[in-house]
Amino acid sequence: MSWQTVKLGDVMTVGRGSSPRPIKDERFFTGGTIPWVKIADATASGKFIYQTNQHVNDYGASFSRKLKPGALIFPASGTLGIPRFLGVEACIHDGWLYFSDYQGIDPDWLYYRIILLKNYYEGIAYGAAIQNINTDIVRNTEIQLPDLATQRAMTAVLGTYDDLIATNQRRIALLEDAARRLYREWFVHLRFPGHESVPVKDGVPEGWCRKTIEDFIEIQSGFAFKSGTFEPEGLYGLVTIRNVQDGEFLANCESSLNLIPDKMPPECKLKTGDILVSLTGNVGRCCLVVGNNLLLNQRVAKLIPKKLSYRELAYLLFRDENFRKSLESLSNGAAQQNLSPIKMGKVEIAFAPEEVFQLFSELTNHSIEQILILKEQNQQLAQARDLLLPKLMSGQLDVSGIALPDEVAA
């Protein structure tokens, strides 16, 4: 196996994205249909970016950098070390770098190699509040490069894990979409079973009423752990605002500890299936926990349904886009939004009779449980892939001796 030392800039083009300025000028965005990739769009799991929070129009795109599907991009500010492929044609923000014109280097292999450069780039990044690296730093980065055949053999193994993860993610999306549609049908459009014969008065069906969130959900805020008690590899991971994405729980915790503080509420110990919601930053993000030995840190709240039949409604309510917008309208803070659990608990919704909740729970419970199973599988696949990654990329492990995951081998 032949390896050579190369600088990234010698085997590819490294360029930077571009943003229309001033960035809040609506002329660039009104009627826009072209995805505009910002750093925040990299928080979704998976190798590819298919959707973005914002879109630019043709005028805005003329001031940005438009790339074809399959382009590999790398965040040069904020959260470093999360490369992504574009799944669609899109424009990239100036916080991104892009790679093209490859010479003897496979872009899929580069994707995995860059992941291992995360700690290196974080160590040399500049910027007090936000980490930044520039194109010259990336161009001058030296790596050990095997021949193309070896590169492709490595990516075939690693890609098997990512393909399985992507398949599970598609299944998760279908299951959640079906459950969310049913929620909207019953609790937003009020087309629940038998609704045709139920008169509506003052905006709610007969037998329904208006209740507050705190009437059926207990809201437990996270605990303020002291940073002096943190351990590099403690028994308990601390779940922070970073772990709570929109519908996605990031299992890797940046901090941990060995001893649970005496004053920590027992509800702050998390388990698979718990429902979390963000209280700062992008408020109202909601996800299901997957994992154990996790503790809830401040700036995140845990939603505890007061009845088992309320669990699915609680999750799907907070995953509803319109409900999230109502939470955003409650938040305050000039530099950063903050959502008060007390204010959140006072929000009113149309509350159904118990038999409606029970039927809804029975119809959606299987989907939620399947989602959790698939998410757990993805965690296991990702852990196995991440154990292989450094060994393959260093040449320590020969690809010919690696067994593929059971699902593929079968």
Side-chain angles (χ1 to χ4, degrees), residues 33-95:
T33 59
I34 304 167
W36 189 45
V37 186
K38 299 171 72 174
I39 298 299
D41 295 308
T43 56
S45 61
K47 290 171 63 174
F48 289 85
I49 292 178
Y50 292 101
Q51 296 180 330
T52 57
N53 292 318
Q54 279 188 284
H55 294 75
V56 292
N57 53 32
D58 289 335
Y59 181 60
S62 68
F63 294 94
S64 187
R65 174 76 63 178
K66 186 186 287 187
L67 299 174
K68 298 291 185 182
L72 180 60
I73 59 177
F74 175 69
S77 66
T79 305
L80 304 177
I82 309 179
R84 291 288 185 265
F85 286 102
L86 292 181
V88 293
E89 185 175 63
C91 291
I92 61 171
H93 183 275
D94 54 18

Side-chain angles (χ1 to χ4, degrees), residues 123-144:
I124 62 175
Y126 58 89
I130 300 177
Q131 292 180 310
N132 292 276
I133 57 174
N134 57 38
T135 52
D136 286 338
I137 290 174
V138 176
R139 287 172 184 146
N140 290 317
T141 301
E142 288 190 345
I143 61 168
Q144 294 294 311

